Amino acid sequence: MNDRNRIQLTWISFLSYGLVGALVAVTGIVMEPVANFFGIPVSHMSNTFTFLNAGMLIAIFLNAWLMEIVPLKRQLNFGFVLMILMVIGLMMTHSLTLFSLCMFVLGVMGGITMSIGTFLITRLYDGRQRGSRLLFTDSFFSMASMILPVIAGYMLGKHLAWYWVYAVIGLIYVAIFILTQISEFPELSKKAAKGKAQNTSSEKWGMGVYVLAIAALCYILGQLVFISWVPQYVQNTFHMSVEESGIMVGRFWMSYMIGMWVLTLVLRFVDMHKLVLVLALLASAFMYMFNTATVVAHLGYWIIALGFVSSAIYTTLITLGSQQTKVASPKLVNFVLTCGTVGTMLTFVVSSPIVEAAGAHAALVTADALYGVVFIACVVLGFCTKHKVNAKAGAAAAH
């Protein structure tokens, strides 16, 4: 494979993460305008966005098999057609049922695109280069999550219809589509994948994997519950405008992205388990400070601090999961990833009844409690993790 093609495929991966980040991040910004459009309470409207997360979960889970049957290029081309149809559907719909269907299909499209992006990075790069590329790819999720809420807040503040936000997100897929047409994709070898699975399936995972899976689920659930209801909380409690609430969400993702880059360097010198333990504790503390702040100016400081320390938690949990066996198992990594995606799907299932009963602030308190569970899981992990033992075994085998 020539360097130009490798770069093009790498950019498809970057943009695929950016697409999913944009779809997830704008939910909190557009939720109230969409609820007003359909004439229903915001707490009821949030349940509808569960279809987006459910579609994403199903797509990520199933595409492990679909990639062996349907060529990657064909999947991305089909996703582009779906994106156009769904944006048109959102523009023309006056039915909540059709809106829910569009959200589900957008979730499926995003999940397929993201899984292809992950596969391309793991296929194109090896060793430390793979790890650094995955972290950089993940930063595009944060970048889109930082930029799109600000754009969405500006558009809604100028009284543009909410569905134009999804049209703007669709431009990301236009770039993916153009790159897809000029790129050659690697074929997924069924026999190679089968052989690799046989080599890694005999080793038992151990308790650490399941502790990490619980931590991943609670972390993603806590993060998305928090970031989804922050706009409503600051608008209702501190009387911020929709543009200001979009900037607040953008601050979180900006510091999240910067933190990911900085902490990638720190990881080279600090034990992963110790780092994630400290980060989980700090994240819980900073979220508590945000939730209890009474001065508007302090909100920005606490959400920036929260974004920074939160940035490396999920990636570190997945990396620790891959180190629980001597040979990194794709099934093991996929299991932890799937549990994290379950947290995405449960975001509004868990938070909507809480908001309906006690308001947006109660949802933020719930998110902080979930971060507390992540910290406890990291403490428990210290008694059952195998990452140090397996790292020593790998180093001995290398020599």
Side-chain angles (χ1 to χ4, degrees), residues 69-82:
I69 302 168
V70 183
L72 304 182
K73 194 168 190 174
R74 189 179 300 171
Q75 287 194 41
L76 290 173
N77 288 337
F78 181 65
F80 179 67
V81 175
L82 285 180

Side-chain angles (χ1 to χ4, degrees), residues 213-236:
I214 292 170
L217 190 156
C218 290
Y219 171 74
I220 293 296
L221 179 57
Q223 182 192 80
L224 293 182
V225 166
F226 177 80
I227 211 65
S228 295
W229 291 106
V230 159
Q232 296 299 314
Y233 171 64
V234 297
Q235 287 174 40
N236 296 338

Side-chain angles (χ1 to χ4, degrees), residues 248-267:
M248 185 67 68
V249 173
R251 284 176 178 173
F252 174 87
W253 291 113
M254 176 191 67
S255 61
Y256 194 96
M257 179 179 64
I258 295 170
M260 188 173 290
W261 293 340
V262 173
L263 293 171
T264 299
L265 300 175
V266 175
L267 273 171

Side-chain angles (χ1 to χ4, degrees), residues 168-184:
V168 171
I169 293 173
L171 295 176
I172 300 174
Y173 212 123
V174 172
I176 294 173
F177 178 74
I178 293 170
L179 287 170
T180 299
Q181 305 317 303
I182 60 175
S183 302
E184 293 295 326

Side-chain angles (χ1 to χ4, degrees), residues 94-225:
H94 291 281
S95 164
L96 190 58
T97 302
L98 182 57
F99 177 86
S100 301
L101 177 62
C102 289
M103 285 294 108
F104 179 78
V105 175
L106 283 175
V108 170
M109 178 271 299
I112 288 174
T113 308
M114 191 175 186
S115 64
I116 290 174
T118 305
F119 167 74
L120 288 174
I121 293 295
T122 56
R123 185 64 179 264
L124 295 172
Y125 301 96
D126 295 309
R128 290 185 178 180
Q129 197 175 19
R130 177 189 293 175
S132 64
R133 291 287 180 178
L134 279 171
L135 280 170
F136 193 72
T137 302
D138 199 22
S139 72
F140 273 75
F141 184 102
S142 310
M143 195 182 301
S145 300
M146 173 188 71
I147 296 170
L148 264 298
V150 176
I151 293 174
Y154 176 80
M155 292 171 68
L156 295 172
K158 296 297 181 182
H159 306 293
L160 287 173
W162 56 267
Y163 47 72
W164 286 110
V165 173
Y166 290 96
V168 171
I169 293 173
L171 295 176
I172 300 174
Y173 212 123
V174 172
I176 294 173
F177 178 74
I178 293 170
L179 287 170
T180 299
Q181 305 317 303
I182 60 175
S183 302
E184 293 295 326
F185 288 77
E187 292 185 8
L188 184 58
S189 170
K190 212 168 184 179
K191 290 182 179 180
K194 193 173 181 180
K196 192 172 183 180
Q198 288 175 345
N199 290 334
T200 57
S201 61
S202 57
E203 189 175 355
K204 291 183 179 180
W205 288 359
M207 182 59 69
V209 174
Y210 301 101
V211 173
L212 285 162
I214 292 170
L217 190 156
C218 290
Y219 171 74
I220 293 296
L221 179 57
Q223 182 192 80
L224 293 182
V225 166

